[in-house]
Amino acid sequence: MANIRHAVIDEHFLFALPGRLQPVATAIRGAPPLPQDANSSSALPVNVLLRYGLGQTGAQIFRDTPAALLPVFMTTILGIPAWMAGAAILIPKLWVIICDPLMGAWSDRSANKVGRTPFLAVGAILTSLGFYALFSIPDFASELVTATIVSIVFLLSMTAFSAFSVPYLGIAALLSTDTHERTRILVYRMIFVTAGVLLGVGVAQPVVFWFGGGYAGWHSMGLIFGLICLVSMLGSAIGLHSVLKDHKTSEEQATPPLKEQFAALARNKPFRLLLIIHFIQTVGQACSYTVVALVFIYLAGSVELLLPFVIVMSIVGLSVQPLWLSLSKRMGKLPLFVWQVLAWCLITLSWLWIDYGSDMFVALPAVGEVSVKELLILLRGGLIGVTNAGFLLLLTSLFTDSIYQGETGSGAAMEGSYAGIWSASEKLAFALGPLISGVTLSAFGFQSSRGGIIEQDAGALTGIIMSYSVVPMAFFLASMAFVPALNRALKAADQAGEPVPA
């Protein structure tokens, strides 16, 4: 029997210093045996970690690029009003609330027959085709017709993405029963997350302009990034086949019926609370993703600054991953997570002063004259990379821990069911985010167009910065209200001496 160690937070000192933290041990039951030397007592080979992480680059592109750029494509090229664009994106993501859990349960029940590779491979191919199609939709005479077609294509693409992303997420828990080894798995995965963010958010928008802007630019971007998704996701599916074939469950460990699976998830209190926190925070992130391109187009002064911003954010975020792995062992995952969220909120609030330093300039070697405003934007990028990469790493690691806290002892495959619910909540959040931001932009007077970027009034600019700073911060602070309950749930599991559903 392996042990998980969580440092939990004293109820009366929620934001205490590390010296006030108390360790909690939680047992794991029912974990399937790992192949060869990939077990809880030895580190997984680096090549396995790289093969697993590879798929995240394409998955991150599909997750981030439509979230950040599809609303821009719809409002500035297809002429769809902001509120209608938000609604068109919402509908497919409402569908995956149902699709993801069902896909997870299906992959679990197929694990002892065909394995998870067919889900990964088919999902990778169809997701890549869907990405390309999404940015190849022409402008129809009716805004409603155009929005409907975008919504249908996005729905089909999201269904394909579920086939890949849900089993893929569950594999992180399958590869190791050791809590810190799973964090190590996710540290490697964050390398490829960083690459996906860099490409999907930092490079995708400039690529549109490099290919002439307008419809042709968006079409070219869709083709290029669709191919990147294909290579990344399909490469991971093929690369993991030899690892996953040794993880098929026996008939005695067959996955229980769907109703029993969801009942087991509902009894897992740490998982429920983590799910709530994750959902609330992801809604806030989705709000900011929706307008990030608009921030750099209208408020930063140049969309070209987006690429160096994302590069700085990615490099700094990636460089501190070993630090978070080390600190999580010393402080505990939950306390470190809280500190990172609070730091992220302060940085996000600072965007309200984005114009500060616009009339001050400094000369930099090999660069020339740069405004203080631009330097502060890049500084924010680095600080966001530090905190954002950290709390995402820890939250996902806590999620993989919670899978074992819900085990019944049968050893049945349940990773897909957990991942399906987790993924569904994330996609619902990324549906609500564009809707919230779209309504906010429309309320502040943002004007859509068919001819590309147009000038916006001061009210619209206020709506953009509110959607990027105040609104996301409010969601993150609201999520912290559930941390004390999560802390108590972890303590209860420790006092019971084994995973106990509550």
Side-chain angles (χ1 to χ4, degrees):
M1 180 178 293
N3 288 327
I4 295 178
R5 291 186 62 82
H6 294 285
V8 298
I9 309 171
D10 190 301
E11 192 68 21
H12 300 291
F13 297 94
L14 178 59
F15 306 121
L17 294 174
R20 301 301 299 265
L21 305 180
Q22 304 173 5
V24 169
T26 303
I28 299 175
R29 295 189 298 172
L34 293 167
Q36 302 171 4
D37 64 339
N39 52 53
S40 60
S41 61
S42 63
L44 286 164
V46 172
N47 70 82
V48 173
L49 303 180
L50 294 176
R51 279 181 276 166
Y52 174 68
L54 176 62
Q56 187 61 40
T57 295
Q60 199 70 27
I61 288 173
F62 186 83
R63 174 185 179 270
D64 289 351
T65 305
L69 298 184
L70 186 57
V72 180
F73 176 64
M74 295 173 72
T75 56
T76 65
I77 299 299
L78 301 182
I80 300 172
W83 69 267
M84 189 181 293
I89 293 171
L90 173 65
I91 294 171
K93 294 193 176 185
L94 289 176
W95 152 243
V96 295
I97 300 172
I98 302 172
C99 179
D100 277 5
L102 293 178
M103 193 70 72
W106 185 16
S107 70
D108 280 343
R109 296 183 68 82
S110 302
N112 65 327
K113 298 177 182 178
V114 299
R116 302 186 192 272
T117 302
F119 288 86
L120 299 175
V122 173
I125 294 170
L126 296 181
T127 297
S128 304
L129 291 173
F131 185 95
Y132 169 68
L134 198 57
F135 291 99
S136 301
I137 297 171
D139 175 19
F140 293 89
S142 167
E143 297 169 351
L144 180 59
V145 171
T146 306
T148 301
I149 293 175
V150 170
S151 189
I152 293 172
V153 172
F154 199 27
L155 184 147
L156 295 174
S157 302
M158 291 293 292
T159 304
F161 186 57
S162 289
F164 178 89
S165 63
V166 173
Y168 178 81
L169 179 60
I171 289 171
L174 184 67
L175 291 176
S176 177
T177 61
D178 180 77
T179 178
H180 295 305
E181 182 62 13
R182 287 197 298 272
T183 304
R184 177 172 170 262
I185 294 169
L186 295 171
V187 166
Y188 275 81
R189 177 174 171 262
M190 283 301 298
I191 297 173
F192 295 93
V193 168
T194 301
V197 172
L198 177 61
L199 292 170
V201 179
V203 178
Q205 179 73 69
V207 164
V208 173
F209 290 99
W210 295 342
F211 281 87
Y215 181 80
W218 287 96
H219 181 82
S220 299
M221 185 277 291
L223 175 60
I224 293 170
F225 280 78
L227 289 173
I228 295 174
C229 289
L230 179 64
V231 172
S232 166
M233 297 164 68
L234 187 58
S236 183
I238 296 172
L240 287 172
H241 176 66
S242 60
V243 178
L244 297 179
K245 68 180 181 180
D246 295 319
H247 283 271
K248 293 181 181 179
T249 58
S250 66
E251 292 299 328
E252 291 76 15
Q253 295 175 326
T255 302
L258 186 62
K259 183 178 179 180
E260 293 182 21
Q261 291 183 55
F262 290 152
L265 269 62
R267 293 192 301 268
N268 187 337
K269 191 171 185 178
F271 172 74
R272 294 202 315 263
L273 292 166
L274 282 167
L275 186 68
I276 294 171
I277 293 171
H278 176 59
F279 173 73
I280 296 173
Q281 291 185 356
T282 308
V283 171
Q285 281 194 311
C287 289
S288 63
Y289 265 79
T290 302
V291 298
V292 62
L294 298 177
V295 168
F296 282 85
I297 290 171
Y298 288 107
L299 298 173
S302 172
V303 71
E304 299 297 330
L305 191 60
L306 179 59
L307 179 56
F309 172 82
V310 175
I311 290 175
V312 170
M313 180 178 68
S314 301
I315 292 175
V316 175
L318 186 60
S319 66
V320 297
Q321 290 301 300
L323 174 64
W324 298 145
L325 177 60
S326 176
L327 285 179
S328 69
K329 295 178 181 179
R330 293 167 53 191
M331 292 177 58
K333 298 178 186 180
L334 185 58
L336 183 58
F337 168 75
V338 171
W339 281 109
Q340 289 170 336
V341 167
L342 294 177
W344 184 89
C345 287
L346 289 175
I347 299 164
T348 301
L349 184 64
S350 73
W351 285 107
L352 291 176
W353 295 274
I354 189 174
D355 283 330
Y356 179 80
S358 59
D359 56 351
M360 295 181 283
F361 297 87
V362 295
L364 298 178
V367 176
E369 196 173 67
V370 180
S371 72
V372 173
K373 172 183 176 178
E374 292 173 327
L375 291 177
L376 290 175
I377 288 174
L378 295 179
L379 175 61
R380 289 187 187 94
L383 294 175
I384 289 172
V386 169
T387 56
N388 188 70
F391 71 69
L392 286 177
L393 168 70
L394 294 172
L395 188 64
T396 308
S397 185
L398 286 166
F399 157 69
T400 61
D401 291 346
S402 74
I403 292 177
Y404 288 104
Q405 291 169 335
E407 290 285 355
T408 61
S410 67
M414 288 281 288
E415 303 86 11
S417 297
Y418 276 96
I421 297 294
W422 188 264
S423 180
S425 73
E426 183 176 273
K427 290 172 184 175
L428 173 60
F430 265 90
L432 293 174
L435 181 62
I436 292 170
S437 290
V439 171
T440 302
L441 292 176
S442 294
F444 278 87
F446 184 87
Q447 299 296 315
S448 60
S449 68
R450 286 187 169 89
I453 306 302
I454 63 172
E455 187 174 351
Q456 302 288 342
D457 61 24
L461 300 183
T462 300
I464 293 173
I465 200 62
M466 291 289 287
S467 296
Y468 196 64
S469 60
V470 176
V471 173
M473 184 191 69
F475 277 102
F476 270 73
L477 291 177
S479 73
M480 291 294 94
F482 294 91
V483 170
L486 176 59
N487 186 49
R488 291 193 296 270
L490 294 175
K491 283 185 177 181
D494 179 55
Q495 292 168 358
E498 61 182 15
V500 289

